[in-house]
Amino acid sequence: MAKIDASKYRKTGSRFEVRGFPTLIYFADRKMYKYTGNRDVESLFEFATNGYKTQEGLVVPKPPSFIEEMVNDIRKTFRDSDMSIQVKMLKDDFNHIIDLRKNAAVALLAIGVLLGLISGCMLSCLMGGRKQKKIKTV
């Protein structure tokens, strides 16, 4: 048995779609079952022993990955700020790529990093030239 304060731990509350308080969720057989019955001991006991089997269990949501948390933080930043039309268009493009084309977003990021490294090396070779050898004078 566990108890959390979803108003304090908002990410966990959001993960399990807690909308009202108290929300009772029973976990069994790698699934979760939301309890909506009476709040007396007999009803809770009945639900926990056999009653949950009459419901269709919901898949337990996985915790968000690091990338999903980062994307959510970026979305929150966009949502909370005053934006010009260009920034709004960029936000819409970003949301479209993340929602519909996650693999493409990862590929674009990898290609961008690779091209940045290659162009950086080329520019450093062109701009830096070769280092001159120091001649010792006596």
Side-chain angles (χ1 to χ4, degrees), residues 63-76:
S65 68
F66 172 74
I67 292 175
E68 289 171 329
E69 285 187 3
M70 193 169 60
V71 166
N72 288 336
D73 288 344
I74 291 170
R75 283 181 173 163
K76 184 179 179 198

Side-chain angles (χ1 to χ4, degrees), residues 29-48:
D29 305 324
R30 296 184 178 189
K31 299 209 182 230
M32 63 184 220
Y33 304 87
K34 292 195 175 186
Y35 180 73
T36 57
N38 294 331
R39 302 299 168 105
D40 58 87
V41 175
E42 293 82 23
S43 299
L44 288 167
F45 181 77
E46 173 58 32
F47 181 78

Side-chain angles (χ1 to χ4, degrees), residues 10-115:
R10 292 183 187 269
K11 288 182 181 179
T12 303
S14 176
R15 176 181 169 199
F16 292 103
E17 298 178 2
V18 174
R19 301 287 179 249
F21 303 102
T23 298
L24 300 176
I25 303 173
Y26 182 69
F27 295 89
D29 305 324
R30 296 184 178 189
K31 299 209 182 230
M32 63 184 220
Y33 304 87
K34 292 195 175 186
Y35 180 73
T36 57
N38 294 331
R39 302 299 168 105
D40 58 87
V41 175
E42 293 82 23
S43 299
L44 288 167
F45 181 77
E46 173 58 32
F47 181 78
T49 54
N50 290 321
Y52 73 92
K53 294 177 183 177
T54 62
Q55 291 184 7
E56 185 174 334
L58 303 170
V59 176
V60 177
K62 295 179 182 177
S65 68
F66 172 74
I67 292 175
E68 289 171 329
E69 285 187 3
M70 193 169 60
V71 166
N72 288 336
D73 288 344
I74 291 170
R75 283 181 173 163
K76 184 179 179 198
T77 300
F78 277 137
R79 188 173 51 241
D80 294 344
S81 65
D82 294 330
M83 296 180 268
S84 66
I85 292 174
Q86 291 85 3
V87 175
K88 285 182 183 178
M89 290 172 56
L90 178 64
K91 179 194 87 146
D92 292 342
D93 288 344
F94 175 77
N95 284 332
H96 175 76
I97 290 171
I98 295 301
D99 288 340
L100 301 177
R101 309 196 190 291
K102 290 181 184 174
N103 292 337
V106 171
L108 284 172
L109 180 64
I111 290 169
V113 168
L114 183 63
L115 288 175

